[in-house]
Amino acid sequence: MTDYVAIPGSGRGPLPNSRPAGRINTSEVAAITVRVRSSGDIEALEQEVNELGNRRLEDRTYLNVEQLIRQYGARAEDMNLVEQYAQTHNLVVTKRCPAERSIVLQGKLGDLVSAFPSNVRMYHHSTGPYRGRQGEVCVPEHLENIVTGVFGFDTRPMRRRGYRLHRAMTARGGPGLRNGVVATEYARRYSFPSEFNGIDLNGSGQTIAIIELGGGFDQNDLATFFRDVDISLPTVTAVSVGADNNSTRNPSGPDGEVMLDIEVAGAVVPKANFAVYFAPNIGSKGFLDAVGAAIYDAQRKPSVVSISWGLPEDYVTQTALDAFHEMFLHASQMGITICVASGDHGTADEDLEEWDGTLHVDHPAADPNVLSCGGTQIDSHGNDVVWNGNDGWTGGGGISKSFSTPPYQSRASLPVSIAHGNTGRGVPDIAMNATNYYTRVGTSETASGGTSAVAPLMAALVARLNQAKQKRVGFLNPFLYANGGRGVVHDVKVGNNGFAGQYRGYEAGPGWDACTGLGTPDGLAILNNL
């Protein structure tokens, strides 16, 4: 008889306000991702990344995927043991990736649960039915120190962070007035460099990865958008990570997020290549698979990744937090900048219909190795203030309970959390305007936004910086915090990210705050100080 042990940090419960919906269908064919330990020392990797981020750009040396695998990838013998065990439970290996340290196993749900015991059930929720689990996932004793996480039993969806449709129009009026403005207007507002040493900074030679968990883009709609704004059509490639480019051309559906991401970044750096990684929105598995596919893509080699999806960090298991964190460390080692939206519902991090009454910080924006992107709005005097519509739509931010204060924030005078009273990683790092972006989806033209417009806008700035320096700028956080006094950011001092009568927020003020971080970036100043 096989003895099993629980994977530390794998415990979880159902989503708040969920109701049991019965047993799972054990005959359903499903897939799980099994992650194994690193061949390298993760604590040493963390130290190396911190040191790398503090070096001058010209003194940095990055790893490529092959070098990363040799130093921190999976051991072949560990992956072999997982494969051999899977075969005894009628499971099929559909993917094996030493860089991601993962094996994807497919089979009947009953066989998957038998191989990795867990209490898996069906649940009802306001966002739709999902397969969830309670308690921990177990592994056989001989894999106890080898397997670090099993993902895929729980299919609770990630949230978009967070496309907000302000107004849809079937009339083809183009940008301007109530349709919003093209993202290039905000690139100029935040002094994105447009030329360097006689070179037009248009993203040439750069690849931007965009993570999507649903929806798709229509090539004809993109062609129409870029023709209407008089910008050359960028090269956009759909990359399947278990899901396809399923465009419905519906502006109120997930296509709105996909098109917003492409149209914002594409307008600012039209000569960049865009790789859009589509994965199913099935809990941490789809999200991890998509992020891993982008970071370790040895063919397209993205230099920057834009992520506009997430969940409150409290809803993410420790094993998933660790898995994401290690991938972001690897990205830093390869000079890849990760830009993540900080959320669109302030300190609640959920809309009121789904909110559990607890203040949250969004993940993966809370991870210390990503560049967390918050939101501002432009007041009647033309100044950036905290984005807050006084209707529950406001920039996400706060003090993480999952991650301690990173070294680069040690002198930023971060407050304690208003939720738990402790110190921690502060979110966001920077902020830019989160409203009034001209977007086209299908036949609809609209002004839209959210912090998920800020993430691709920041990714476009990074692409221009990379092109100008002819080198990846990589993990920017230490540089931004160390050079705030040199004009690389402009402080935002007015506003808050609470919702009167519903939940408390943080107040903006001099220096770093949990609404807009360090403030708005000054692209030209960043370039001149790198």
Short mmCIF file of all heavy atoms in Angstrom, two decimals, residues 33-36 65 68-69 72-74 79 95-104 241 288-297 323 326-327 330:
data_model
loop_
_atom_site.label_atom_id
_atom_site.label_comp_id
_atom_site.label_asym_id
_atom_site.label_seq_id
_atom_site.Cartn_x
_atom_site.Cartn_y
_atom_site.Cartn_z
N THR A 33 -0.61 20.04 -13.88
CA THR A 33 0.80 20.36 -14.03
C THR A 33 1.50 20.04 -12.72
O THR A 33 1.11 20.52 -11.66
CB THR A 33 1.00 21.85 -14.37
OG1 THR A 33 0.38 22.13 -15.64
CG2 THR A 33 2.48 22.20 -14.45
N VAL A 34 2.53 19.21 -12.81
CA VAL A 34 3.31 18.82 -11.64
C VAL A 34 4.66 19.52 -11.71
O VAL A 34 5.40 19.36 -12.69
CB VAL A 34 3.51 17.29 -11.59
CG1 VAL A 34 4.34 16.90 -10.37
CG2 VAL A 34 2.16 16.57 -11.57
N ARG A 35 4.98 20.33 -10.70
CA ARG A 35 6.26 21.01 -10.64
C ARG A 35 7.20 20.28 -9.70
O ARG A 35 6.79 19.77 -8.66
CB ARG A 35 6.08 22.46 -10.16
CG ARG A 35 5.60 23.40 -11.24
CD ARG A 35 5.45 24.82 -10.72
NE ARG A 35 6.70 25.36 -10.20
CZ ARG A 35 7.61 25.99 -10.92
NH1 ARG A 35 7.43 26.13 -12.22
NH2 ARG A 35 8.71 26.47 -10.36
N VAL A 36 8.46 20.24 -10.09
CA VAL A 36 9.47 19.55 -9.27
C VAL A 36 10.51 20.56 -8.79
O VAL A 36 10.57 21.70 -9.26
CB VAL A 36 10.15 18.41 -10.06
CG1 VAL A 36 9.12 17.37 -10.50
CG2 VAL A 36 10.92 18.94 -11.27
N VAL A 65 18.11 30.83 -21.88
CA VAL A 65 17.29 29.73 -21.37
C VAL A 65 18.14 28.49 -21.13
O VAL A 65 17.98 27.80 -20.10
CB VAL A 65 16.14 29.40 -22.36
CG1 VAL A 65 15.38 28.16 -21.90
CG2 VAL A 65 15.18 30.58 -22.46
N LEU A 68 20.07 28.86 -17.99
CA LEU A 68 19.17 28.81 -16.85
C LEU A 68 18.81 27.37 -16.51
O LEU A 68 18.76 26.99 -15.34
CB LEU A 68 17.90 29.62 -17.15
CG LEU A 68 16.97 29.83 -15.98
CD1 LEU A 68 17.50 30.92 -15.06
CD2 LEU A 68 15.56 30.19 -16.45
N ILE A 69 18.55 26.57 -17.53
CA ILE A 69 18.21 25.16 -17.30
C ILE A 69 19.35 24.45 -16.60
O ILE A 69 19.14 23.68 -15.65
CB ILE A 69 17.87 24.46 -18.64
CG1 ILE A 69 16.55 25.00 -19.21
CG2 ILE A 69 17.77 22.95 -18.44
CD1 ILE A 69 16.24 24.50 -20.60
N TYR A 72 19.40 26.09 -12.91
CA TYR A 72 18.22 26.09 -12.03
C TYR A 72 17.07 25.23 -12.54
O TYR A 72 15.99 25.22 -11.92
CB TYR A 72 17.71 27.53 -11.85
CG TYR A 72 18.73 28.44 -11.23
CD1 TYR A 72 19.41 29.39 -12.01
CD2 TYR A 72 19.04 28.37 -9.87
CE1 TYR A 72 20.35 30.24 -11.45
CE2 TYR A 72 19.99 29.21 -9.31
CZ TYR A 72 20.64 30.14 -10.10
OH TYR A 72 21.58 30.96 -9.54
N GLY A 73 17.27 24.52 -13.63
CA GLY A 73 16.20 23.69 -14.17
C GLY A 73 15.98 22.43 -13.37
O GLY A 73 16.57 22.21 -12.30
N ALA A 74 15.10 21.58 -13.89
CA ALA A 74 14.78 20.33 -13.21
C ALA A 74 15.85 19.28 -13.49
O ALA A 74 16.47 19.25 -14.54
CB ALA A 74 13.43 19.83 -13.69
N MET A 79 12.29 14.22 -12.93
CA MET A 79 11.19 14.18 -13.88
C MET A 79 10.90 12.74 -14.30
O MET A 79 9.74 12.37 -14.51
CB MET A 79 11.52 15.06 -15.09
CG MET A 79 11.82 16.50 -14.72
SD MET A 79 11.93 17.62 -16.13
CE MET A 79 10.24 18.15 -16.27
N LYS A 95 3.47 17.02 -21.81
CA LYS A 95 4.51 18.05 -21.90
C LYS A 95 5.52 17.81 -20.79
O LYS A 95 5.17 17.48 -19.67
CB LYS A 95 3.91 19.46 -21.76
CG LYS A 95 4.94 20.58 -21.82
CD LYS A 95 4.28 21.94 -21.60
CE LYS A 95 5.30 23.07 -21.55
NZ LYS A 95 4.67 24.38 -21.28
N ARG A 96 6.79 18.02 -21.14
CA ARG A 96 7.87 17.92 -20.15
C ARG A 96 8.82 19.07 -20.42
O ARG A 96 9.39 19.18 -21.51
CB ARG A 96 8.59 16.57 -20.30
CG ARG A 96 9.85 16.44 -19.45
CD ARG A 96 10.37 15.02 -19.50
NE ARG A 96 11.73 14.90 -18.96
CZ ARG A 96 12.23 13.83 -18.36
NH1 ARG A 96 11.46 12.76 -18.21
NH2 ARG A 96 13.46 13.81 -17.93
N CYS A 97 8.98 19.98 -19.44
CA CYS A 97 9.78 21.19 -19.65
C CYS A 97 10.77 21.37 -18.51
O CYS A 97 10.39 21.77 -17.40
CB CYS A 97 8.87 22.41 -19.75
SG CYS A 97 9.77 23.95 -20.07
N PRO A 98 12.05 21.09 -18.74
CA PRO A 98 13.05 21.25 -17.69
C PRO A 98 13.18 22.69 -17.20
O PRO A 98 13.47 22.93 -16.02
CB PRO A 98 14.35 20.78 -18.36
CG PRO A 98 13.92 19.91 -19.48
CD PRO A 98 12.64 20.50 -19.97
N ALA A 99 12.99 23.68 -18.08
CA ALA A 99 13.11 25.07 -17.67
C ALA A 99 12.01 25.44 -16.68
O ALA A 99 12.26 26.05 -15.64
CB ALA A 99 13.06 25.99 -18.88
N GLU A 100 10.78 25.07 -17.01
CA GLU A 100 9.65 25.35 -16.12
C GLU A 100 9.62 24.39 -14.93
O GLU A 100 8.83 24.57 -14.01
CB GLU A 100 8.33 25.26 -16.89
CG GLU A 100 8.17 26.27 -17.99
CD GLU A 100 6.86 26.12 -18.74
OE1 GLU A 100 5.81 25.97 -18.09
OE2 GLU A 100 6.88 26.14 -19.99
N ARG A 101 10.44 23.33 -15.00
CA ARG A 101 10.46 22.28 -13.98
C ARG A 101 9.08 21.65 -13.83
O ARG A 101 8.59 21.41 -12.73
CB ARG A 101 10.95 22.83 -12.64
CG ARG A 101 12.27 23.56 -12.69
CD ARG A 101 12.96 23.71 -11.37
NE ARG A 101 12.10 23.78 -10.22
CZ ARG A 101 11.77 24.91 -9.58
NH1 ARG A 101 12.24 26.07 -10.02
NH2 ARG A 101 11.00 24.88 -8.52
N SER A 102 8.45 21.39 -14.96
CA SER A 102 7.07 20.90 -14.91
C SER A 102 6.83 19.76 -15.88
O SER A 102 7.48 19.66 -16.93
CB SER A 102 6.10 22.05 -15.21
OG SER A 102 6.22 22.47 -16.56
N ILE A 103 5.88 18.92 -15.49
CA ILE A 103 5.37 17.85 -16.34
C ILE A 103 3.86 17.96 -16.35
O ILE A 103 3.23 18.07 -15.29
CB ILE A 103 5.78 16.46 -15.80
CG1 ILE A 103 7.30 16.29 -15.87
CG2 ILE A 103 5.09 15.35 -16.58
CD1 ILE A 103 7.78 14.97 -15.31
N VAL A 104 3.25 17.97 -17.53
CA VAL A 104 1.81 18.02 -17.65
C VAL A 104 1.30 16.60 -17.86
O VAL A 104 1.75 15.90 -18.77
CB VAL A 104 1.35 18.93 -18.80
CG1 VAL A 104 -0.17 18.92 -18.93
CG2 VAL A 104 1.85 20.35 -18.58
N VAL A 241 -1.26 27.92 -25.52
CA VAL A 241 -0.75 27.22 -24.34
C VAL A 241 -1.95 26.48 -23.74
O VAL A 241 -2.37 26.70 -22.61
CB VAL A 241 -0.13 28.18 -23.31
CG1 VAL A 241 0.63 27.40 -22.23
CG2 VAL A 241 0.81 29.17 -23.98
N LEU A 288 -0.06 29.72 -14.66
CA LEU A 288 1.34 29.33 -14.57
C LEU A 288 1.88 28.84 -15.91
O LEU A 288 2.99 29.19 -16.32
CB LEU A 288 1.51 28.23 -13.52
CG LEU A 288 1.53 28.66 -12.06
CD1 LEU A 288 1.35 27.45 -11.15
CD2 LEU A 288 2.84 29.37 -11.72
N ASP A 289 1.07 28.05 -16.61
CA ASP A 289 1.52 27.51 -17.89
C ASP A 289 1.77 28.63 -18.90
O ASP A 289 2.76 28.60 -19.65
CB ASP A 289 0.47 26.54 -18.45
CG ASP A 289 0.39 25.24 -17.68
OD1 ASP A 289 1.25 24.99 -16.82
OD2 ASP A 289 -0.56 24.46 -17.93
N ALA A 290 0.88 29.64 -18.91
CA ALA A 290 1.04 30.75 -19.87
C ALA A 290 2.26 31.59 -19.54
O ALA A 290 3.05 31.93 -20.43
CB ALA A 290 -0.22 31.61 -19.87
N VAL A 291 2.43 31.94 -18.27
CA VAL A 291 3.58 32.75 -17.87
C VAL A 291 4.88 32.01 -18.14
O VAL A 291 5.86 32.57 -18.64
CB VAL A 291 3.47 33.16 -16.38
CG1 VAL A 291 4.74 33.85 -15.91
CG2 VAL A 291 2.26 34.07 -16.17
N GLY A 292 4.89 30.71 -17.83
CA GLY A 292 6.09 29.91 -18.09
C GLY A 292 6.41 29.82 -19.57
O GLY A 292 7.58 29.92 -19.97
N ALA A 293 5.37 29.65 -20.39
CA ALA A 293 5.59 29.56 -21.83
C ALA A 293 6.23 30.83 -22.37
O ALA A 293 7.08 30.77 -23.26
CB ALA A 293 4.27 29.28 -22.55
N ALA A 294 5.84 31.98 -21.82
CA ALA A 294 6.40 33.25 -22.29
C ALA A 294 7.83 33.44 -21.81
O ALA A 294 8.73 33.77 -22.59
CB ALA A 294 5.52 34.41 -21.81
N ILE A 295 8.06 33.22 -20.52
CA ILE A 295 9.39 33.48 -19.96
C ILE A 295 10.45 32.58 -20.56
O ILE A 295 11.57 33.01 -20.85
CB ILE A 295 9.35 33.34 -18.42
CG1 ILE A 295 8.55 34.49 -17.80
CG2 ILE A 295 10.76 33.29 -17.83
CD1 ILE A 295 8.34 34.36 -16.31
N TYR A 296 10.10 31.32 -20.78
CA TYR A 296 11.10 30.35 -21.25
C TYR A 296 11.03 30.10 -22.75
O TYR A 296 11.56 29.10 -23.23
CB TYR A 296 10.92 29.03 -20.50
CG TYR A 296 10.96 29.18 -18.99
CD1 TYR A 296 9.82 29.01 -18.23
CD2 TYR A 296 12.14 29.50 -18.33
CE1 TYR A 296 9.84 29.15 -16.84
CE2 TYR A 296 12.18 29.64 -16.95
CZ TYR A 296 11.03 29.46 -16.22
OH TYR A 296 11.07 29.61 -14.85
N ASP A 297 10.40 31.00 -23.49
CA ASP A 297 10.27 30.84 -24.94
C ASP A 297 11.62 31.13 -25.60
O ASP A 297 12.00 32.29 -25.81
CB ASP A 297 9.20 31.78 -25.47
CG ASP A 297 8.80 31.48 -26.91
OD1 ASP A 297 9.64 30.90 -27.64
OD2 ASP A 297 7.67 31.82 -27.31
N ALA A 323 5.77 29.12 -6.97
CA ALA A 323 6.03 28.78 -8.37
C ALA A 323 6.14 30.04 -9.23
O ALA A 323 7.05 30.18 -10.05
CB ALA A 323 4.92 27.87 -8.91
N GLU A 326 9.43 31.99 -8.36
CA GLU A 326 10.65 31.43 -8.93
C GLU A 326 10.75 31.72 -10.42
O GLU A 326 11.83 31.99 -10.95
CB GLU A 326 10.70 29.93 -8.65
CG GLU A 326 10.94 29.62 -7.17
CD GLU A 326 10.75 28.16 -6.83
OE1 GLU A 326 10.74 27.31 -7.76
OE2 GLU A 326 10.61 27.85 -5.63
N MET A 327 9.61 31.71 -11.12
CA MET A 327 9.63 32.05 -12.54
C MET A 327 10.00 33.53 -12.74
O MET A 327 10.73 33.87 -13.67
CB MET A 327 8.29 31.74 -13.20
CG MET A 327 8.05 30.25 -13.40
SD MET A 327 6.76 29.87 -14.61
CE MET A 327 5.31 30.45 -13.74
N HIS A 330 13.64 33.89 -12.37
CA HIS A 330 14.30 33.44 -13.61
C HIS A 330 14.21 34.53 -14.68
O HIS A 330 15.18 34.76 -15.42
CB HIS A 330 13.65 32.16 -14.11
CG HIS A 330 13.89 30.97 -13.24
ND1 HIS A 330 13.22 29.78 -13.41
CD2 HIS A 330 14.72 30.79 -12.19
CE1 HIS A 330 13.64 28.92 -12.50
NE2 HIS A 330 14.54 29.50 -11.75
#
